[in-house]
Amino acid sequence: MADRFGEASERAITGQGRFSVALSGGKTPVGPYGEIARIGRVIDWKKVHVFLVDERFVPYDDERSNYGMIKKSLLDSIPIPSANVHPVATEGDPLRSAEKYESELRGFFAGSRGVPVLDMVVLGMGEDGHTASLFPGKPYSVDDGHLVRAVGPDKEGLSRITLTLPVINRGRLVLFLVTGAAKARTVVRVVEESDPALPASLVRPVDGKPLFLLDREAASMLRPDKTE
Ligand code: 6PG
């Protein structure tokens, strides 16, 4: 994960002078984000922009805050300018927050007609096959032109703000970080069966396939030819 981050940031900064990455929350990426901070000495952080894949509608110091986790595990350990970090506003009205985040994204990508093409999107996956804050049983495949939407309440009763599939699927490098035996069956349903009932299966980057970074337990039910 850290190597992929280093490669992708170098490629983007060399090619276009900046690197935009959207990071997910949850528990899985905490270690890998720390690893990125450790290799970070070779990254030109002034040219890196960090966005959120999704956010829970809680204060940043709430232990459930994705921004709070990313700040603790990565941002506090690297010399990235604060103007380069784009958290989601989590006070007031979730719908308004989603609109504001969408216009921030469109503004950042104004050069590409406001259509965000993130250089890297880091996703997690729940046992239920959700990714970002796109949960099973909702009509996500529809491309209604929105880049960001407010969804919820989730299982904890929280509103969430999330990037939509069209934004995720335009990412140049889209990768999943999945660990643990509990997700092994869901990994098969997504990687081998592309089960459309699972939002993670709907992540189909326009320039290729998503990359799955799995630990041995999460990959344990995959056919051997599917893993390297
Ligand atoms: C979130 C994440 C979510 C996460 C999965 C996996 O806000 O929680 O964006 O999509 O990636 O729920 O979470 P774990 O890494 O904690 O298993």
Side-chain angles (χ1 to χ4, degrees):
M1 162 71 179
D3 292 345
R4 301 287 177 162
F5 188 100
E7 290 158 11
S9 58
E10 186 179 346
R11 187 166 49 246
I13 290 169
T14 306
Q16 63 209 30
R18 71 183 189 182
F19 173 62
S20 58
V21 57
L23 300 177
S24 281
K27 299 178 187 61
T28 306
V30 174
Y33 292 167
E35 202 50 40
I36 291 171
R38 272 186 286 285
I39 68 149
R41 61 198 172 288
V42 295
I43 293 174
D44 184 356
W45 291 107
K46 294 188 302 305
K47 295 178 180 168
V48 175
H49 283 261
V50 175
F51 292 89
L52 274 286
V53 165
D54 65 339
E55 183 57 282
R56 293 89 175 272
F57 217 70
V58 293
Y60 295 152
D61 59 359
D62 184 302
E63 60 177 19
R64 296 165 296 181
S65 166
N66 286 346
Y67 172 71
M69 180 275 279
I70 294 165
K71 184 175 183 302
K72 266 198 287 265
S73 57
L74 172 61
L75 302 176
D76 286 349
S77 310
I78 55 176
I80 188 168
S82 54
N84 290 23
V85 179
H86 306 267
V88 177
T90 58
E91 69 282 328
D93 171 21
L95 285 172
R96 183 81 195 91
S97 174
E99 285 166 7
K100 274 168 54 183
Y101 208 60
E102 175 152 335
S103 57
E104 183 167 356
L105 262 180
R106 287 191 188 281
F108 182 80
F109 288 97
S112 51
R113 300 182 313 287
V115 174
V117 180
L118 289 155
D119 294 305
M120 185 172 184
V121 180
V122 178
L123 298 171
M125 188 185 75
E127 285 178 50
D128 63 355
H130 83 262
T131 189
S133 288
L134 307 172
F135 293 93
K138 305 267 174 56
Y140 292 120
S141 41
V142 68
D143 178 358
D144 56 7
H146 283 290
L147 306 179
V148 182
R149 64 168 64 228
V151 297
D154 66 10
K155 282 182 289 199
E156 295 172 79
L158 294 178
S159 291
R160 297 215 181 180
I161 308 293
T162 186
L163 297 186
T164 59
L165 278 169
V167 184
I168 292 168
N169 285 338
R170 279 196 197 93
R172 290 197 172 94
L173 168 63
V174 180
L175 67 82
F176 282 92
L177 268 182
V178 186
T179 60
K183 296 180 181 179
R185 180 80 199 98
T186 309
V187 165
V188 170
R189 287 179 64 190
V190 173
V191 173
E192 291 183 1
E193 301 163 7
S194 295
D195 183 342
L198 305 184
S201 301
L202 304 178
V203 173
R204 297 191 190 106
V206 289
D207 294 347
K209 290 179 181 300
L211 174 67
F212 282 81
L213 297 183
L214 309 171
D215 70 356
R216 202 174 301 285
E217 289 75 19
S220 59
M221 293 174 71
L222 282 174
R223 292 200 317 262
D225 62 302
K226 280 279 179 186
T227 60
E228 61 176 73

